[in-house]
Amino acid sequence: MLIELRSVQLNQQGKEPEPVVCTAAKPELAAADYAARLTQTNMAPYYASRKLSWQPEMFSQSWLTYDNYEIYYDKRRVGVLRFSYLEDTTCIRDLQIEPAFHGKGIGTECLRFACRHAREKQHDWLALRVFSENPARNLYQRFGFRTQPMTPASSSGDRAVTPLDLLEMRLNLRLAHRE
C-alpha cells in the first residue's frame, strides 16, 4: 500500500506538477525490485570505474532496515529516496531518479522533503555520501550541503572506497532555510 504525502496538482500558472513522494511498503517486492534496478543502473558507471561489484543481497537487506520512499512525478514512479538514522542525523542513503527525469527539479523537491522528514524526527543534520564526480554533487552544494572530512572508509566488498572517491556532505538543519 502506498501512502500519498502530497497531491499532484498544476500550479496557478499551469506549470508541470511537483513530484509526489510516497512511501514504499517494505513487503512490496515490486517496489524493492524497481528501487534495486534503478540504483544499480544509475550507479553502474561509478562502480565500473572503481571495479566494484553490485551486491544485490546487500541492497535487499538494506531495503528491510531503511525507510524507503518512492518518488512520483505527474503520477508516474520516477525514483526512490531512502533514509537511515543516527543520533541527531537523518542520512540520505539513496536518492535515485530515472535519467529521463533529471533536470526537472525533482531532486530539489526530494531534498526539501528530506529536510522536512529530518525535522519531523527532530534531527539537526541531514547527511549523504556521493561519488566525487557525480553531477548530483552540484545540486547538493547549491542546496547548502557542505563537504565534511570522511569518516572511516566504507567497504564495498571488492575494495575500500577511499575519501578520494566518496564525499561525505552534511546540511545543518538549524541554519538551513525552512520550506
Side-chain angles (χ1 to χ4, degrees), residues 36-99:
R37 279 192 311 276
L38 178 61
T39 303
Q40 183 179 13
T41 300
N42 284 357
M43 298 305 291
Y46 308 109
Y47 277 42
S49 70
R50 291 165 175 83
K51 297 180 175 50
L52 300 175
S53 299
W54 175 255
Q55 297 181 356
E57 64 285 346
M58 275 181 68
F59 187 90
S60 295
Q61 185 59 40
S62 72
W63 188 260
L64 299 174
T65 58
Y66 295 166
D67 280 346
N68 306 296
Y69 292 80
E70 291 184 305
I71 302 163
Y72 283 80
Y73 182 77
D74 201 18
K75 299 181 182 178
R76 177 178 172 189
R77 181 172 58 181
V78 298
V80 64
L81 177 59
R82 307 176 70 221
F83 299 106
S84 67
Y85 309 97
L86 300 173
E87 294 171 16
D88 66 344
T89 304
T90 294
C91 304
I92 297 175
R93 301 307 297 235
D94 278 303
L95 173 51
Q96 302 292 337
I97 299 169
E98 292 182 24

Side-chain angles (χ1 to χ4, degrees), residues 4-5 11 15 19 27 37 39 45 57-58 60 64 83 88 91-92 102 108 114 119 127 132 137 147 159 168 170 177:
E4 188 168 296
L5 299 175
N11 64 22
K15 293 185 180 176
R37 279 192 311 276
T39 303
E57 64 285 346
M58 275 181 68
S60 295
L64 299 174
F83 299 106
D88 66 344
C91 304
I92 297 175
H102 289 183
T108 299
R119 285 184 176 116
S132 56
R137 174 182 172 192
T147 303
R159 69 173 181 86
E168 187 163 307
R170 292 172 61 86
H177 179 67

Side-chain angles (χ1 to χ4, degrees), residues 6-24:
R6 287 194 345 203
S7 63
V8 177
Q9 297 177 344
L10 291 179
N11 64 22
Q12 291 176 345
Q13 293 79 28
K15 293 185 180 176
E16 291 186 47
E18 294 180 5
V20 175
V21 179
C22 299
T23 96

